[in-house]
Amino acid sequence: MSWRDIRPVAVGVAHRDGGDEILLSRLRDEQAGETFYRPIGGGIEFGELSEVTLVREFREELSVEVVEHELVETLENTFTFQGNEGHEIWFLYEVEFAEDWPYERDEFEGREPELDETYRAVWLPVDRLSGVTVYPENLATIV
């Protein structure tokens, strides 16, 4: 693995119910037999700033417009997914949407256009994150 294999990503977390719940993607690693949650977002393209990526990714994946965003933390993550090792640098943002509909639904479909796959975007109580697998593992203390 070389430095070129490190992937910079911009991810965001929206809040509802006074900040008690956050919106995350629910994903499944079939090889590990694990369901896990992570903030929504994706890879930063060359020459693109992380905040531009954040807005683009939410538009592409959820069809929502991010109207407010604030950088909360920069994180590093090494992991194995579907048997492949990965290394990411995360720019983690708190976000707000222009649309009301995402706040009104408990879960809905998100789409990864590059992979032609879908996932579930779900609202989870922050105080219940310790009972599920979530990445980053300390997300509840950050947001």
Side-chain angles (χ1 to χ4, degrees):
M1 183 173 285
S2 76
W3 68 270
R4 295 175 207 264
D5 297 322
I6 299 172
R7 179 177 181 231
V9 298
V11 295
V13 174
H15 293 264
R16 77 171 185 182
D17 291 338
D20 292 339
E21 293 182 331
I22 58 174
L23 185 65
L24 298 172
S25 58
R26 181 176 62 216
L27 303 167
R28 178 100 179 134
D29 183 337
E30 293 299 337
Q31 282 200 340
E34 173 185 66
T35 297
F36 64 96
Y37 300 84
R38 72 177 287 256
I40 295 166
I44 299 171
E45 296 175 2
F46 183 80
E48 185 178 53
L49 298 177
S50 65
E51 60 190 27
V52 173
T53 299
L54 181 76
V55 171
R56 176 181 52 77
E57 287 288 332
F58 273 88
R59 186 180 299 130
E60 289 175 358
E61 293 186 17
L62 301 182
S63 298
V64 297
E65 291 300 318
V66 171
V67 292
E68 296 287 331
H69 55 77
E70 181 179 341
L71 182 63
V72 177
E73 187 76 66
T74 302
L75 304 163
E76 186 170 16
N77 185 33
T78 58
F79 59 94
T80 301
F81 180 68
Q82 306 290 20
N84 298 309
E85 291 183 344
H87 187 170
E88 295 176 333
I89 305 296
W90 287 15
F91 294 89
L92 176 64
Y93 288 85
E94 288 186 359
V95 300
E96 288 183 33
F97 306 130
E99 297 85 354
D100 290 332
W101 70 263
Y103 299 104
E104 297 166 350
R105 300 180 188 174
D106 289 335
E107 68 177 69
F108 49 92
E109 187 174 271
R111 185 169 185 283
E112 274 289 349
E114 300 87 27
L115 303 174
D116 196 29
E117 295 177 354
T118 60
Y119 63 86
R120 298 306 294 172
V122 299
W123 292 97
L124 288 178
V126 174
D127 64 0
R128 291 192 25 220
L129 293 180
S130 62
V132 297
T133 302
V134 62
Y135 299 109
E137 293 172 353
N138 63 337
L139 185 62
T141 64
I142 298 171
V143 298

